Amino acid sequence: MKILYAKDADTLSRYAADRFVEQIKSNPKSILGLATGSTPKKMYEYLGEDTHVGKVSFSEATSFNLDEYVGLAADHPASYHYFMEEYFFSKVDFKEGANSLPNGVAENLEKEALDYDQRIQDVGELDILILGIGSNAHIGFNEPDDVFEPLTHVVALDHSTRQDNARFFNSIDEVPTHAISLGMRAIMRAKKVLLLAFGENKAEAIRDLVKGKVDPKVPASILQLHANATILIDEGAASLLDESDYTSI
Ligand code: F6R
């Protein structure tokens, strides 16, 4: 695991966007793994600008998102379908049908989760995957647990996750209680993983990821075993680490 530090989130977002540009240049048909939330927004903005000026094109790429809330249809403003459309898909040049997210309103959610997993297995590995991290160290919505869940699955969200995400809703009561999340197998099989973490709210999770042992109670810690994972942290997220734990960019 490589741990890279920059004081500000913008530098790290630009760095991550550059890795996506590099990836698409080396293989325009790349399969991208995508996250939602506050953290990757700036990276998506940079990729939108890069597309606009002709520096990169997503026209041959495809993507799979990590997760979706159960019970929110694609047109719900707090759904991850909506988020992706608003902040990324509408700003770049993917072809119609190139982007996949789990369907949070599928009639049979368990089947939807397994079908989604199968679709990823059928196309092979994700070439590059961007992750955020929860304050409880979740990645995707793999919440702290006794085991690492390998396949895409329906998950009950931790109270802390629902609290953290209440800012996207009118109140915590509106935050869905469940989500469909990619499991650890697809995450660990991704050829390249970039995890962005911004702010002091992520400092404990980052300390446990970097300095703790591999433990399903700290879901992100599984990345210690990944062959090509880069953790990108700003000043706040790095605040419980020593300077010797990371390299500045
Ligand atoms: C989102 C996802 C989550 C978020 C995490 C951090 O698709 O999978 O793991 O990355 O909850 O969210 P933010 O970036 O809003 O702090």
Side-chain angles (χ1 to χ4, degrees):
M1 228 169 38
K2 227 174 359 182
I3 321 291
L4 300 181
Y5 167 90
K7 194 171 162 53
D8 62 293
D10 277 9
T11 304
L12 298 162
S13 301
R14 183 64 260 178
Y15 181 94
D18 286 343
R19 302 292 77 73
F20 269 72
V21 171
E22 246 170 41
Q23 175 61 43
I24 299 277
K25 290 220 154 129
S26 76
N27 175 15
K29 293 186 192 315
S30 290
I31 306 167
L32 315 177
L34 302 176
T36 57
S38 307
T39 309
K41 261 172 140 172
K42 190 74 194 177
M43 182 192 88
Y44 291 142
E45 194 180 316
Y46 281 133
L47 289 173
E49 287 167 14
D50 291 349
T51 304
H52 191 66
V53 299
K55 187 171 151 190
V56 68
S57 168
F58 292 85
S59 61
E60 292 182 65
T62 51
S63 74
F64 288 89
N65 262 77
L66 285 162
D67 37 29
E68 178 57 284
Y69 287 119
V70 164
L72 300 194
D75 61 353
H76 189 292
S79 77
Y80 286 169
H81 279 79
Y82 197 98
F83 175 101
M84 291 308 296
E85 198 52 46
E86 173 154 2
Y87 293 107
F88 191 39
F89 299 155
S90 63
K91 311 285 185 212
V92 296
D93 57 346
F94 282 110
K95 283 211 182 78
E96 184 87 33
N99 308 115
S100 300
L101 289 92
N103 176 8
V105 291
E107 223 167 89
N108 183 338
L109 293 166
E110 266 76 25
K111 181 172 181 310
E112 168 65 17
L114 291 178
D115 287 351
Y116 192 74
D117 211 86
Q118 191 59 51
R119 283 179 54 207
I120 298 179
Q121 290 181 44
D122 289 347
V123 295
E125 294 94 52
L126 302 170
D127 290 303
I128 187 166
L129 167 63
I130 185 76
L131 295 174
I133 185 169
S135 59
N136 66 356
H138 69 218
I139 48 177
F141 276 135
N142 291 276
E143 299 283 35
D145 200 348
D146 295 333
V147 290
F148 290 115
E149 205 56 68
L151 299 181
T152 302
H153 56 287
V154 178
V155 57
L157 297 174
D158 276 13
H159 185 66
S160 68
T161 298
R162 295 183 64 237
Q163 252 168 350
D164 286 346
N165 289 0
R167 68 190 191 281
F168 299 110
F169 296 81
N170 293 322
S171 78
I172 189 167
D173 301 328
E174 286 181 19
V175 183
T177 55
H178 290 75
I180 297 180
S181 174
L182 208 66
M184 291 303 196
R185 188 161 79 181
I187 291 175
M188 290 303 282
R189 287 187 67 188
K191 291 184 193 147
K192 203 174 294 165
V193 174
L194 301 172
L195 183 148
L196 287 170
F198 303 152
E200 270 182 42
N201 187 34
K202 306 293 171 72
E204 274 184 37
I206 288 298
R207 180 200 57 206
D208 295 348
L209 156 61
V210 173
K211 291 190 178 281
K213 57 182 175 52
V214 176
D215 181 348
K217 296 262 185 274
V218 182
S221 65
I222 199 170
L223 295 175
Q224 291 178 22
L225 305 177
H226 194 283
N228 189 352
T230 304
I231 313 300
L232 299 155
I233 49 176
D234 74 353
E235 190 175 26
S239 57
L240 297 176
L241 296 181
D242 301 312
E243 275 183 37
S244 56
D245 292 325
Y246 50 75
T247 307
S248 295
I249 55 169

